[in-house]
Structures are given as structure tokens and as C-alpha cells.
Amino acid sequence: MSIKTLAKNVRQYKLPAILAPILVALEVAVECILPLVILKFMGTIQIRNGATLNVGEVVLYSCILVSMALVAIVLGVLSGIFAARASAGFATNLRQNLFYNIQNFSFANIDKFSTSSLVTRLTTDVTNMQDGFMALIRIAVRFPLMVIGSLISIFILQWQVGLIFLGLIPILSIILFTVFKSAHPVFKTGLGKYDVLNRNVRENIKAIRVIKSFNREEFEKKKFDNSANQLYKYFGKGEKIIAINSPSMLFCVWGAIILVCLTVGMLAKGAVQSGGAVTEGQTLAIYLMYGYLIFAAIMQFSMVLIMFAIASPSINRILQVIQETSTIDSPKNAITEVEDGSIVFKNVNFKYNVESDKYALKNINLTIQSGETIGIIGATGAAKSSFVNLIPRLYDVTEGEVLVGGKDVRTYDLEALRNAVAMVLQKNLLFSGSIIENLRWGKEDASMEEMQYACKLACADDFIQTFPEQYNTYIEQGGSNLSGGQRQRVCIARALLKNPKILILDDSTSAVDTKTDAFIRKSFRDEIPNVTKLIIAQRISSLQDADKIIVLDGGKIESVGSHEELLQTSKIYSDIYTSQMKTTENALGNIFMENQKKEGN
Amino acid sequence: MSHSHTMQKVPTFKTLGRLLKNVFKYTKWRPAVVIFCILFVTIAGSSSTIWIGYMTNNVLIVGSSVNGVLITWKDVAPAFLHMMIAMLIVYGVGLIASAIQNYLMAIVVQSFLLKTRQNLFYRMESLPLRYFDTNNHGDIMSTYTNDIDATRQLIGIALPQLLQATLFCVFAFVLMLMYSIWLWLIAMLGFAVMLASLAILGGKSGKNFVKQQHALAKVEGFIEEMMGGQRVIKVFCHEEQAKKDFDKINAEYNQASSTANSYANSLMPVIMNIGNLMYVVAAVVGAVLVALSAKNIALGNYVGLGSALKLDPNGFMTIAVVVVFINLSRQFSINVGQIAMQTNAVVVGIAGASRVFALMDEQPETDNGYIRLVLAQKDNNGNLQEVKNMGNVWAWKDARANILTELKGVVQFKEVNFGYNANKTVLHDINLIAKEGQKIAFVGATGAGKTTITNLINRFYDIQSGEICYDGIDIRKIKKEDLRRSLGIVLQDTNLFTGTILENIRYGKLNATDEECIEAAKLANAHDFISRLPDGYHTVLKHEASNLSQGQRQLISIARVAVANPPVMILDEATSSIDTKTEALVQKGMDSLMRGRTVFVIAHRLSTIQNADCIMVLDKGRIIERGNHEKLLRERGIYYQLCTGALEIE
């Protein structure tokens, strides 16, 4: 089942994926036959008792040998190329499949996996699979064929020698398997310790300022020594177990040589007595050659086994992502037009995890008219973000319904809904690329004028104009070459370009200075009056001129009203207001006003 | 994975030599025994040619007639018995050698890794902050993972196999020479062709693997960015575009990987079959020489091994020589193949080792300070006496003059200039004085140099000119360890460690009792929320303490400094939006911590610094305004604009 899911990713590389093992099989066949032909050839150059060299036979067999070697080169190279293509292709498809599926993830799906774990799955795990796949179609095919082919050849030549090999194969296999079995758990534990060590180092690199300022270098060294010694213990133990492999292999190969020589000697004894033919030296050499081929194949297979053991957790991690189905999809016969920017919450309950009994939002009932400006405030964990996330259907309600433009959000086509509801996330991101490229996330074919207009609304045009390359300025990953406030303004402009019916700003002006913040709000009021605006903020000054302010507390609406109303009715709101009034910005505002008055006088 | 290849190239052999030297240094006699064992294993491994030759010449002649006398089994039985005994001995010894070799190798590799990791880490801990600020953290990390792993492959697998294969090749090389120089020349021709194809294919494969690495790094970078921004992608319905961009980069990787592996996969079959061709050519030429009754030139004859090798006493080429020779040549090519298989591991391993050494060669932080910070007992007359513990004051102790001076906590900057690079000054002509118990605040836009100032006080970086004095002592004269002990820092980035909350608080003072830690948490206002956690102080922080909110992490980091109880503090406030309630808690925690200490505050919110004794407004590395809150407001300068919200602080 799971293997089938993975195997599907071979897709357009089926041909090389099938050809590679077939060519490997042919190559093995050539390799198995080659010693037999060599033996024939040796017979032709072996001139006994003054007989003359049969030139014709020598030429014939040397031609056969040369062409076999050439064929083997071609087969080997082609199978190598096909295997490389197939496995690289497989990895490419697998990675694509993962990436595509992640694109279908809803927020709830994304919550399940951390970013770094997704990155590992798409990189290291896929690379492991690529190596594993290549090993599978090359070595895993090669091994049994090589063993069988060599055994057949050797039985044709001398069944007694064949019996020796046949008897030794299970011995070596059992030893290797036992070693693998007992070493695997040790290495697994060791890998866990390895993670601890790496985490330790990562923390050290990151927290070096803390370490240095507390003079904790020696302490950290001791901590590290501890992890490193644990690693030494487990890997040392594991490697000592693995150390049995190589002597075991030699035991079998050399044991085979001794037994073969003994058998050949005994056969010679018997042959002399019964008047039969004595085995020749070169035939003995050929026996040993087959022995080498057989045991080397088993050894290689054991290495592949180890490789698979390493890759097997990768399989599970990849399958987890591939088999994850999106919790949110567009319905059939979806509505593709959002009427207006009105929002209604009807008896909405919401929890992030169906199994948990803790509701993030409880009993929300609210109606927002199209074009209204709504402020949302509340402490961390008050569920402000959860509240707005339900509107563009980033999450689905657990109970009740959310209506946008008069219709349940679950009846809309997702893209249509999200195009109508522009959202600037709290943890907003710009991507590496020019400002223009980033802005065009909002509208793919936005003209320069449109972009400039959006940036003017978001108060971003001014600072962009001061950059030497203006709108072509390259933004580093995560927007690290812009200040926090600048980043937020570009993000707002990007959202505005969607020309939405509803605009949600989730704490998106926290780093913008109050004056610019006010200016942005003013331009919203003047330029996009019909767009419903929801603004989450920590600063009361960002909200106080909203039509309605919603105070959230512990997942419930504590109160709704205008700034003046809430100062009277909401304890939470007035508390926040008082504490913020104490802060410089506002206190200063008063001094500022006083000064203005004085100057006015 | 995404290594920046900026460092200068160290000669390969120098790196390899240093690596081997370290192996010997770390694991003493063991590698020598391993090499010795490898020698035995190789001899045993290559002896099969001798057995075949012996069997052919001494045992399998049974039934034939020499000079008209029929050879019976009785004639050859002793030789056969001797050979059997010899085989048992040689292989027995070989087997024991192999067991010892592999067992010791396990120890050698793991000891080497342990010591290398330790040395690497020890060196890293001693490096100046500049190293961590200028190097990509992912790259440093990759030295511990990818690079060390590459050296493990090199030392544990590639080198022993290489040694074994090379030894074998040398044996075969000499033996072949002993048997026949004519055939030897053919073998060498084959060998040359093998080497040439190894150079061509190996080179191509190496070059393409580098390309593959670059492509992979690109894929990783893209994925990292996209996974991080997945929510933004959803919100903007950007999925299809993301898929398109991904497909392009993914296809590039596919191409590169496919090409690189194609070359790598071709290498073995090509070399092995050139070996087969060589075998045929040698056999044909041998047969022709025999048929033509040509003279053989064999080194064996000249060193007195002619009869032992059963060379023709008349100097003719014989079929027995050809048979033994071509067997040798076949094994020779198998071993060249072994060498070829390891070349990639060697190249990657040496590159990895050179990066490991590069980190080990970084210059550690220097410290020429001789003034120490000690605990002292101050008596009623104001005289100081150094004590081991339970002192009532901190004192500076000049180790040369043996004079104790009480620590006051006065920090002064005199005409300080500083730049992270010599040619780009970040701070210009900074003059300031923080008197005992004063609170000094720095404000200014991002990049104005606020954080840089704090980097200088504790000598994370050294200034280019001017002087920073601590109680009148140039900080360069103070032992770094003691200087830093006297300065507590709370950073924006809290950097808590994996472990319990208690352990994290105790980080400030390793011998602090549980009670002291709890006291500190109370002082920092962290006690309440910690007590409410199900496991209280024993709550384990994981994944960079993601199970706590930013504000809570901040509170723990304040408690961590509180337990250390330093006389001077540097506080870098958190910028991210903490809600008003938590912010008030954090602020209260910081306030109680500041009491009675000299404090430098880097302000990201103006509300917190109104009561500062002096506020320094920084702009482009210069102090452009200074004074207390009221004074600066009156001046109507930048500070005023910041306060009225006319300028962005971040």
C-alpha cells in the first residue's frame, strides 16, 4: 500500500526504471558467462604434447571475449545512466508530489508539521529515497541474479564445488543478518544521541552571547563532552558489532578456497584412479572467480540492507506528508462571486483540534456591514487571530457558521473567497525577489501605476522612492534588508493590490510609527471606503476611530462598541487604555497638545 | 549543505597529512596495528594466485607423465598436504588479522570522531563573537555534521580500502614483473587506459556532483523559504505560481543529479571491463608468444626466483606463466576498480577535513587582562580583605600590585570609535559616563548602533580607538571572564536552552540552590506563571522554548540574570509585540532588577525609559542628543519626533 504510493512517483521515468534492472540483469548474465568463455579460451591456448595452436579457435574465442567485454561496458554504462535518470527522476517527482500536496494543505494541516520538519522531508528524506531507489534497481537486482547465475555456472562446471558455495551462502547470510539485527537498535539509539549532540551545538552557536556573557564556556564543554561520549559509546558499540562483517565474509571466501582446493585435489585423486581427466589449474581459478562473485554480491547486498534501514524512517516521514489530506477544499458547484464585504458570525464555536475539549472561540455572534471598519483588541491568547482566520476560511468553524457576502464561506470556491478577503498576517513575510515581484503576489499582472497607488495607500511609496533602485530593489529572504515598519507597509500594499472586498490586518502596523499608522488609516477611509476593514492591534490609537471595536477575552467577545462606549462599558478596554495612556507616546501627546496650545496663544 | 566556498584552498596532501597525524595522535598505537593487519589481510587475500599456481604445478600434474614416468597421487600427496596446511595457516592468520583490524578500526574511528568533535567544539567555544556574527550558522553547523561525516567515511572506509587495494596492486605489479615483462607491458597499457578513464569519468562525475550540490542547495533554499511562507501563499492563493517556480528549480536539480550519477555509475563497469579486455589481450599475446616459441624476459629469473615461480629454465614463454599472469592481471583490475570506487569519498572527505581544520585554525579570543574581580569583606574602616565566599562587596584586584579596589559600577566611554570592519566605522567619537547606579538609555532607529555599544562594554568586540573604562580601569586590563561576570545581559533573543526552567535559571549561577533560583524568579516576576505550569519549575523547555510565549521566555531570561546578581546590567528590550499585560510584567521584572545597579538600556519602546538618568539618541553611530526625558522633549529634536510618533523607532 505505502510502497505502491511511493512507486507511483516513478511516472514518466518508468522506461529507464524498467530498463535499468533489465540491463543490469543482462550485464550479470554476461559477467556469469564470461568465466566460462575464458575457460574455453584457455583451453584453446593450452597446447598439450606438442600439438599446434588452433589459430582459428584462438581468434574466435578472443573475438567473443572482446565483444563480451565491450557489450558489458555498454550494458554497464547504459544501466548506470538509466538508473541515474530513473532515481533522479523518481526523487524529482516525489519532491514535486510532496510540494504540491503541501500547497493543498490548509492551515490546520500546516500546524501539524513544523517548517523545519517539512524542509527535512523535502530534502534529506527525498535524497535518502533517491539513493535507496538507485540501490534497489541496481544492486538489489544484481545480487540474487549474480548468486543464482554464478551457482548455475559452477554447478555446470563441477557440482561438488557448487555444493560448497551453496552450503556457505546461508552461513554468510545468517551471520550478516544477525549482525544487522543486533547492530540496528544500537545505531538507532546512537542516532538519537547524535540529534542531542547536534541540538547542543546548534544552541551553542545561537546562544553564544549568553554563554560568553555568563562565562559558561567550560560548563558548555562539559555538557558537550557528555553528549560526545554518549555518541562514542553507542556508535563504538555498533561499529564493533559491524566489525564482524568483514572477517565473516573473508571466512567464507577463504574457507571456500580451501574447500575448493581440497575438493579439486580429492577429485584429482579419484580421477587418476578411475582414469578420468584431472582438473586443470585455470579451471580452479575459474571456480574461485565464481566464489568471489557470489560472496561480493552478498556483501554488497548487506550494505544495501543497511542503506534501506537508514532510509526506512524517511519513507514514513514522506508518506505522512503525501497521505495528509487537506482539511479544507472547495465544494462542488462552488460560488465564484462574493457579493459584498459583509460578515456574519452565527453561533460560532471553534477549536483547533477536534479531540481537545478547549474551544479557542466560543459562542461568537456578530454582524459586520460591508464597508465598516472594525477594530479588534485583546490579550495574547484572546483568540484575535483565530477570529479573523475564519473569515477567509483558513480554518473551518467547529460549530455554527461564518457568512461572507451573505453566504456561508464553505459554499465558496476557495480562491474566489480568498481573493475577496485580503489578509495581512501577523507573521508576515516577503520573499526574496524585487519589490515589484513581491507586490505582484497580490495581482499577477499589476501595472506600475496600480502598484504605486497601492504603495501610496500603504505609505510605502515614499521610502521605496528613496531606494536607489526604487521598485526594483531586491528584497532579501524574509525581507531582512527592510526595517520592520517598511516590511509591514509593503505587506499591506501587497494585500491592497488584490482589490479585496474585505481587508484584514492582523497586528500589521505594530512597527509602523503612529503618525504613519494614522495616515494609512486615513487613506483607507478616503480611498477604499467600501472595503470592510478589520484591524487587530495592540495600540488603542490604531483602533480608536473604528466604527466598532471588538474586545476579545479568552475566546469570547467581551464587548463590542465604539471607543467612547467601550471606555464606559468594558473593564478590559478601559484598563488597556489607561495603561497605554501612561506610556510616553500618549503622555507626550498631551505635552505636545499643551505646547501647541501655548504656541497658539 | 550550502557551503560557501570562500576559504582559501589548502593543499590536499597537507590536509590529508594533518588528518593522519591527528588519527595517530588521538588513537596512539592502534592505527599502526591496523596497517600491519591490513598487510596480513592483503597477503592472505592475494595468496590465491599462489595456491592456484602451486596446485597447477605440483598437484594437478597427477596422471600426467614427466620424462615418461607417470605421476601418481602418492607422488603429489605430500605437496598437497603441505599446501593445505600452509593455506590453513595463511588464511587463519589473515582472518585473525582481519578481525583485529576491523575491531581496532571501530575504536580508531570513534575515538578519532570523539576527539575531533571535542577539539572542534572547544575551539569554537573560545572563538570571538566576530566569528559567529560573520559566519553563517548553518555553515558552522554543517562542519559538525556533513564535514565530520565526510572525514569519517574517509578514515573509516575509504583509506583502509584504498590502502588494501593499493598494497594489492603493488604486490600484483611486482609479481607480474617477475613472471613476464612482455605481458607486464600489456598490463600496464591496460592500467594506463583505466587510469585515463578514471581521470575522465571521475573528473566529470566530481564536477557534476558539485553542480548537483549547488542545485540541491538551491532547492533547499527555495523550499525553506516557501515552507516558511506557506501561510502567506495560502492567503494570496499563490499555490499555482509556487508550484511553477518549484518545478523549474526541481527540474534543474533533476538534470544535475541525473548527469552526476550517470558518470559515477558508469565508472565501475568501464574500469572492470577494461580489465576484462586487458585480460583477453594478455592471454592472446601470451598464447601467440608461446606458439611462436618466443623468449620470455622475466624479472624472476634475475632475482633467483625462476624455479620457485616455475619459469621455463630455457627462458621460453610457457602456458603456465600465461595462466598465472592473466589471473594476476584480473585481480589487479578488480583492485583498481576498488580504488576508483573510493576516489569520490576521498575528495569529499579531504574537502570536509579542510573545513574542519579551518574552524580549528580560527584564532581564539585573546585576553591579556590581569585585573581580577574578587569577593571581599569590607570592615568598618573601609578596608578591604579578599575572601573566598560570603563577602559583602565586589572588588577589583590588580594581580601585579595586589591592591584591592571596591567595585563601584562606573562605566565611561572616552572618544570611542568602532567598526566591525576596519574601513567602516559604525560608532563615531562616543563619549559618555554612567555613574554608579545610573540608568543610561539608548534610542535610535535600526542600525543606529545601539546594540553595537553593548557589544563593546563586555568586549565581545574590541574598539579601534579611544578607551572604555570600568571604575577608571581600561577594560582591556580586566580579565575578560571577570569583566563579563560583572556585567549582566538580557538580550532580545532570549536564547534559553533545552532543559528545565530551573536549569535555565540556574545558568546564571551554577551553584545556586533551588531556593535562590525561585527567589530570582520572584524578583523577575516570573514566579507566578511558572507556578501555574503543570510541572512548575521542572517544566522542560524544548524546541527553543516554543512551549512558552515570548514574554514568558523574556521573564525567565531576566530571572537568569537576577540569580547571577551582577553589579552592572545591559538590557536589550524585546521588540516583538507582547500584549500590554505581559509587557507590564516584563517591565516590572526589569525594573526590580535595575534597582541599585548601573544599567544600560537599549530601548525599543520609549515608555520604558522616561525615568532614565540620561537618554542617548543615536543616529548613524553618533550620539546626536543626550539628556533626560524632559530636557530632550524641550529640545524638540529627534527624541521629540520619536515620542510624537513622527519617526519610526524600529
Side-chain angles (χ1 to χ4, degrees):
Chain A
M1 161 65 193
S2 58
I3 295 299
K4 226 172 147 186
T5 315
L6 287 178
K8 274 189 204 141
N9 289 287
V10 177
R11 286 208 300 261
Q12 72 270 41
Y13 297 98
K14 264 193 202 100
L15 190 64
I18 293 168
L19 279 179
I22 290 176
L23 291 173
V24 167
L26 290 175
E27 195 195 344
V28 169
V30 173
E31 274 184 66
C32 287
I33 299 169
L34 194 71
L36 291 177
V37 182
I38 287 174
L39 197 57
K40 281 275 181 204
F41 172 70
M42 305 267 269
T44 63
I45 61 169
Q46 191 94 2
I47 338 148
R48 286 183 186 281
N49 308 329
T52 50
L53 190 70
N54 186 336
V55 179
E57 269 195 342
V58 172
V59 171
L60 175 68
Y61 279 109
S62 45
C63 283
I64 292 176
L65 280 174
V66 168
S67 40
M68 278 179 90
L70 290 176
V71 167
I73 290 187
V74 173
L75 288 174
V77 169
L78 281 181
S79 77
I81 291 172
F82 284 134
R85 274 224 188 123
S87 52
F90 170 70
T92 306
N93 286 342
L94 195 58
R95 197 178 283 116
Q96 186 195 49
N97 194 347
L98 286 168
F99 190 84
Y100 277 28
N101 201 38
I102 293 170
Q103 296 310 311
N104 290 331
F105 275 16
S106 69
F107 272 37
N109 295 122
I110 299 171
D111 292 340
K112 268 205 203 165
F113 302 95
S114 72
T115 304
S116 64
S117 103
L118 283 180
V119 174
T120 316
R121 284 164 216 249
L122 277 152
T123 53
T124 316
D125 286 340
V126 171
T127 309
N128 279 343
M129 296 299 296
Q130 182 179 354
D131 293 344
F133 188 74
M134 186 139 80
L136 184 76
I137 57 176
R138 292 188 84 208
I139 305 168
V141 170
R142 195 184 172 86
F143 152 77
L145 291 180
M146 191 58 124
V147 171
I148 293 167
S150 300
L151 273 179
I152 292 174
S153 310
I154 205 83
F155 268 101
I156 291 171
L157 284 175
Q158 189 81 56
W159 63 269
Q160 291 95 332
V161 177
L163 280 182
I164 295 172
F165 292 146
L166 199 59
L168 285 169
I169 289 170
I171 295 178
L172 183 59
S173 306
I174 288 168
I175 295 175
L176 292 179
F177 188 71
T178 316
V179 165
F180 173 72
K181 263 286 226 202
S182 47
H184 190 233
V186 180
F187 279 120
K188 219 173 151 186
T189 320
L191 282 174
K193 304 284 172 198
Y194 190 51
D195 288 342
V196 173
L197 180 111
N198 285 338
R199 190 188 64 209
N200 206 333
V201 176
R202 204 172 292 124
E203 281 187 351
N204 259 271
I205 298 173
K206 210 167 158 269
I208 193 70
R209 279 187 155 76
V210 173
I211 291 161
K212 294 227 170 234
S213 60
F214 282 108
N215 292 312
R216 290 288 173 267
E217 289 96 333
E218 292 306 316
F219 177 77
E220 289 298 330
K221 283 181 193 170
K222 259 189 225 137
K223 212 157 89 184
F224 181 84
D225 278 354
N226 196 6
S227 318
N229 276 311
Q230 286 279 322
L231 209 59
Y232 173 78
K233 190 177 136 197
Y234 283 98
F235 275 91
K237 194 172 156 199
E239 296 227 340
K240 276 178 199 164
I241 298 174
I242 295 274
I244 299 167
N245 272 357
S246 192
S248 309
M249 155 95 180
L250 290 178
F251 174 78
C252 289
V253 174
W254 291 343
I257 293 177
I258 294 176
L259 288 178
V260 169
C261 285
L262 187 68
T263 311
V264 167
M266 288 302 113
L267 284 173
K269 185 183 175 189
V272 173
Q273 277 155 6
S274 64
V278 173
T279 315
E280 287 162 344
Q282 65 265 30
T283 316
L284 178 60
I286 297 297
Y287 294 162
L288 300 187
M289 208 185 282
Y290 278 121
Y292 174 81
L293 289 178
I294 290 173
F295 294 114
I298 295 177
M299 201 66 193
Q300 275 188 337
F301 189 71
S302 80
M303 288 198 276
V304 172
L305 211 61
I306 292 170
M307 208 153 145
F308 282 155
I310 294 170
S312 68
S314 295
I315 297 181
N316 287 329
R317 280 200 294 264
I318 284 174
L319 283 174
Q320 276 173 3
V321 176
I322 291 187
Q323 292 173 341
E324 179 86 18
T325 47
S326 175
T327 55
I328 295 180
D329 282 312
S330 295
K332 278 186 191 137
N333 309 319
I335 306 169
T336 52
E337 199 60 49
V338 178
E339 195 91 346
D340 58 43
S342 67
I343 304 165
V344 180
F345 279 72
K346 266 192 205 163
N347 301 320
V348 169
N349 292 321
F350 170 66
K351 51 188 175 184
Y352 282 96
N353 191 345
V354 189
E355 277 110 58
S356 95
D357 40 34
K358 201 178 150 241
Y359 280 92
L361 285 169
K362 191 94 180 131
N363 201 22
I364 306 289
N365 279 293
L366 188 75
T367 304
I368 296 166
Q369 306 299 336
S370 193
E372 272 188 315
T373 300
I374 307 293
I376 301 166
I377 197 162
T380 312
K384 302 184 295 280
S385 296
S386 311
F387 176 78
V388 292
N389 280 341
L390 297 178
I391 300 166
R393 215 187 153 203
L394 298 175
Y395 291 93
D396 268 340
V397 294
T398 314
E399 285 132 30
E401 54 179 343
V402 176
L403 311 180
V404 167
K407 299 199 177 73
D408 191 319
V409 288
R410 285 169 292 193
T411 58
Y412 284 109
D413 174 66
L414 271 181
E415 194 166 338
L417 175 69
R418 286 177 188 164
N419 279 333
V421 184
M423 181 148 172
V424 183
L425 295 166
Q426 186 175 17
K427 232 185 135 186
N428 226 304
L429 270 181
L430 294 174
F431 293 84
S432 44
S434 70
I435 292 182
I436 292 181
E437 279 165 2
N438 269 283
L439 287 172
R440 286 200 170 135
W441 275 59
K443 189 179 177 196
E444 227 175 291
D445 53 355
S447 68
M448 201 57 221
E449 287 72 37
E450 283 176 288
M451 286 188 276
Q452 205 162 355
Y453 175 68
C455 285
K456 275 188 177 145
L457 284 188
C459 290
D461 184 57
D462 284 350
F463 75 81
I464 293 175
Q465 297 292 355
T466 65
F467 294 151
E469 299 195 48
Q470 302 187 336
Y471 279 82
N472 289 314
T473 305
Y474 188 84
I475 295 179
E476 307 283 341
Q477 186 169 343
S480 57
N481 53 341
L482 297 184
S483 79
Q486 291 173 337
R487 217 154 43 219
Q488 288 185 332
R489 283 180 271 167
V490 176
C491 287
I492 294 172
R494 179 174 65 178
L496 285 173
L497 273 166
K498 279 173 82 172
N499 206 1
K501 297 209 160 63
I502 298 171
L503 176 67
I504 301 171
L505 305 183
D506 188 352
D507 208 4
S508 317
T509 56
S510 58
V512 176
D513 62 77
T514 45
K515 205 168 155 184
T516 311
D517 189 19
F519 195 80
I520 294 173
R521 274 178 283 126
K522 184 177 176 304
S523 61
F524 282 0
R525 219 170 20 241
D526 299 345
E527 300 286 332
I528 48 167
N530 297 326
V531 175
T532 312
K533 290 151 292 243
L534 282 86
I535 301 169
I536 297 179
Q538 304 280 355
R539 281 198 299 235
I540 288 216
S541 61
S542 305
L543 313 166
Q544 57 188 20
D545 48 0
D547 298 318
K548 258 187 232 162
I549 298 168
I550 303 168
V551 182
L552 282 171
D553 184 43
K556 291 184 183 141
I557 296 182
E558 195 251 2
S559 40
V560 183
S562 68
H563 175 67
E564 285 72 25
E565 285 165 10
L566 287 175
L567 281 180
Q568 304 301 320
T569 57
S570 168
K571 168 107 178 48
I572 297 179
Y573 190 80
S574 56
D575 278 358
I576 297 175
Y577 180 71
T578 331
S579 83
Q580 289 191 1
M581 277 309 287
K582 276 194 218 146
T583 65
T584 325
E585 286 96 330
N586 292 303
L588 245 149
N590 293 344
I591 296 174
F592 180 65
M593 300 287 248
E594 276 167 31
N595 286 342
Q596 295 266 311
K597 270 184 209 158
K598 273 180 210 159
E599 274 162 28
N601 297 339
Chain B
M1 283 288 178
S2 55
H3 268 304
S4 49
H5 297 272
T6 44
M7 59 180 174
Q8 73 258 42
K9 236 177 145 61
V10 181
T12 305
F13 283 106
K14 221 169 156 182
T15 308
L16 190 60
R18 185 166 166 195
L19 194 65
L20 291 176
K21 217 170 105 190
N22 280 352
V23 173
F24 275 93
K25 204 165 89 191
Y26 297 158
T27 61
K28 300 185 200 94
W29 49 271
R30 291 183 185 87
V33 176
V34 167
I35 291 172
F36 201 63
C37 288
I38 288 178
L39 193 66
F40 271 100
V41 175
T42 312
I43 291 172
S46 52
S47 66
S48 62
T49 311
I50 295 166
W51 312 133
I52 295 169
Y54 194 85
M55 284 284 280
T56 314
N57 292 323
N58 301 307
V59 180
L60 298 179
I61 49 170
V62 61
S64 64
S65 51
V66 173
N67 305 328
V69 183
L70 190 74
I71 299 170
T72 63
W73 177 251
K74 269 207 180 112
D75 297 323
V76 298
F80 184 61
L81 187 65
H82 289 155
M83 192 191 84
M84 278 294 141
I85 294 168
M87 277 177 109
L88 282 175
I89 293 170
V90 169
Y91 284 144
V93 171
L95 212 53
I96 293 167
S98 165
I100 296 173
Q101 174 210 331
N102 283 283
Y103 181 81
L104 283 182
M105 212 46 211
I107 300 176
V108 166
V109 168
Q110 288 305 317
S111 310
F112 168 78
L113 289 180
L114 176 68
K115 281 276 176 358
T116 306
R117 287 195 178 111
Q118 283 177 327
N119 286 342
L120 201 60
F121 188 80
Y122 286 8
R123 177 51 61 111
M124 186 181 86
E125 289 294 290
S126 75
L127 295 181
L129 223 64
R130 180 182 296 277
Y131 180 80
F132 299 90
D133 287 347
T134 51
N135 283 281
N136 181 307
H137 288 183
D139 286 350
I140 307 177
M141 200 56 224
S142 148
T143 313
Y144 284 88
T145 53
N146 298 332
D147 293 340
I148 287 203
D149 195 56
T151 51
R152 183 186 67 84
Q153 296 270 357
L154 175 63
I155 293 192
I157 300 166
L159 284 185
Q161 288 210 3
L162 219 52
L163 179 64
Q164 200 161 341
T166 312
L167 272 178
F168 191 93
C169 284
V170 172
F171 283 158
F173 182 85
V174 175
L175 263 179
M176 285 195 277
L177 211 50
M178 292 292 170
Y179 278 107
S180 166
I181 286 179
W182 301 132
L183 294 182
W184 181 84
L185 285 173
I186 291 167
M188 285 311 108
L189 184 71
F191 182 51
V193 177
M194 277 184 205
L195 283 188
S197 39
L198 176 60
I200 294 168
L201 286 176
K204 288 248 188 205
S205 128
K207 219 185 270 165
N208 281 288
F209 268 111
V210 172
K211 267 192 203 157
Q212 184 197 295
Q213 281 310 93
H214 286 314
L216 187 63
K218 216 166 143 191
V219 169
E220 282 188 7
F222 180 83
I223 288 174
E224 190 131 11
E225 183 164 17
M226 287 302 137
M227 291 300 114
Q230 196 56 45
R231 284 164 209 269
V232 180
I233 292 176
K234 301 265 23 148
V235 167
F236 281 93
C237 300
H238 206 72
E239 295 94 338
E240 291 311 315
Q241 185 62 41
K243 286 179 188 173
K244 251 202 286 179
D245 294 343
F246 172 78
D247 282 347
K248 226 168 75 194
I249 294 176
N250 201 22
E252 276 173 37
Y253 171 75
N254 185 8
Q255 183 60 44
S257 174
S258 176
T259 312
N261 282 301
S262 292
Y263 282 117
N265 287 349
S266 305
L267 194 55
M268 271 308 272
V270 167
I271 292 209
M272 291 309 294
N273 286 302
I274 291 174
N276 283 335
L277 281 175
M278 179 175 108
Y279 181 95
V280 177
V281 174
V284 171
V285 171
V288 170
L289 287 177
V290 173
L292 295 176
S293 297
K295 283 269 184 191
N296 182 23
I297 303 176
L299 202 59
N301 279 330
Y302 299 100
V303 293
L305 287 171
S307 61
L309 297 173
K310 296 274 170 183
L311 296 173
D312 186 61
N314 302 320
F316 288 109
M317 178 67 89
T318 65
I319 215 67
V321 166
V322 177
V323 170
V324 174
F325 189 92
I326 55 178
N327 269 316
L328 268 175
S329 78
R330 189 178 162 83
Q331 293 199 327
F332 184 77
S333 52
I334 287 175
N335 280 283
V336 174
Q338 292 281 347
I339 295 172
M341 275 215 302
Q342 300 304 331
T343 46
N344 232 348
V346 172
V347 173
V348 175
I350 290 179
S354 69
R355 280 190 288 265
V356 170
F357 289 141
L359 176 49
M360 282 191 188
D361 290 343
E362 286 289 334
Q363 283 305 307
E365 224 176 336
T366 51
D367 187 4
N368 300 321
Y370 53 86
I371 293 177
R372 308 287 317 234
L373 184 70
V374 295
L375 271 174
Q377 189 71 38
K378 192 173 174 184
D379 62 24
N380 295 334
N381 305 325
N383 293 323
L384 292 173
Q385 185 69 43
E386 186 181 348
V387 290
K388 274 274 167 291
N389 43 35
M390 296 299 283
N392 56 3
V393 290
W394 288 105
W396 297 114
K397 180 184 175 185
D398 190 328
R400 295 177 182 174
N402 207 10
I403 302 169
L404 290 180
T405 346
E406 188 180 343
L407 182 142
K408 297 250 187 324
V410 180
V411 178
Q412 188 174 12
F413 279 62
K414 293 179 192 165
E415 288 163 21
V416 169
N417 288 299
F418 171 74
Y420 290 98
N421 303 314
N423 50 9
K424 198 178 163 225
T425 311
V426 177
L427 288 178
H428 303 268
D429 198 28
I430 302 291
N431 282 293
L432 65 90
I433 183 158
K435 297 204 185 106
E436 212 177 328
Q438 275 192 334
K439 178 175 173 182
I440 308 292
F442 297 103
V443 293
T446 310
K450 291 171 297 188
T451 312
T452 306
I453 289 191
T454 61
N455 273 337
L456 303 180
I457 302 176
N458 50 21
R459 288 192 69 198
F460 279 165
Y461 287 87
D462 275 332
I463 53 177
Q464 262 101 31
S465 71
E467 199 181 13
I468 301 175
C469 292
Y470 194 140
D471 287 342
I473 309 163
D474 187 326
I475 55 169
R476 279 169 289 206
K477 292 182 186 160
I478 302 174
K479 196 111 183 110
K480 270 188 179 169
E481 187 190 318
D482 290 312
L483 175 69
R484 287 175 188 166
R485 196 143 60 100
S486 72
L487 295 159
I489 301 193
V490 178
L491 297 165
Q492 265 182 58
D493 211 344
T494 50
N495 284 316
L496 299 178
F497 295 87
T498 306
T500 65
I501 290 182
L502 195 63
E503 282 164 2
N504 267 288
I505 296 176
R506 189 171 285 141
Y507 204 83
K509 186 182 171 194
L510 293 180
N511 57 2
T513 61
D514 289 4
E515 287 71 35
E516 280 180 81
C517 293
I518 294 169
E519 244 352 276
K522 281 181 182 161
L523 184 73
N525 251 329
H527 180 71
D528 279 353
F529 96 81
I530 297 173
S531 317
R532 276 202 301 274
L533 295 171
D535 294 319
Y537 281 87
H538 297 286
T539 306
V540 177
L541 305 181
K542 291 179 203 158
H543 311 300
E544 302 180 349
S546 57
N547 41 347
L548 297 181
S549 78
Q550 162 82 11
Q552 291 170 331
R553 289 199 293 263
Q554 195 84 28
L555 290 176
I556 293 178
S557 81
I558 295 171
R560 178 170 65 185
V561 174
V563 82
N565 195 18
V568 177
M569 298 247 326
I570 300 165
L571 302 178
D572 199 348
E573 294 180 335
T575 44
S576 57
S577 44
I578 307 176
D579 67 272
T580 321
K581 225 156 118 193
T582 317
E583 195 206 337
L585 275 180
V586 172
Q587 197 46 52
K588 252 171 88 185
M590 289 216 181
D591 282 343
S592 52
L593 198 59
M594 286 189 242
R595 219 158 290 141
R597 299 175 215 270
T598 311
V599 187
F600 293 93
V601 182
I602 297 159
H604 300 280
R605 298 185 173 203
L606 298 167
S607 53
T608 57
I609 56 165
Q610 284 171 51
N611 61 348
D613 295 289
C614 189
I615 298 166
M616 311 275 170
V617 182
L618 282 166
D619 183 41
K620 298 191 183 94
R622 291 176 203 276
I623 299 178
I624 50 168
E625 288 171 29
R626 64 171 83 204
N628 64 16
H629 180 65
E630 281 75 30
K631 176 176 175 270
L632 289 181
L633 279 188
R634 257 179 271 119
E635 283 177 6
R636 296 276 185 107
I638 298 288
Y639 182 75
Y640 177 83
Q641 288 188 319
L642 285 169
C643 285
T644 50
L647 277 178
E648 275 175 45
I649 193 159
E650 275 309 303

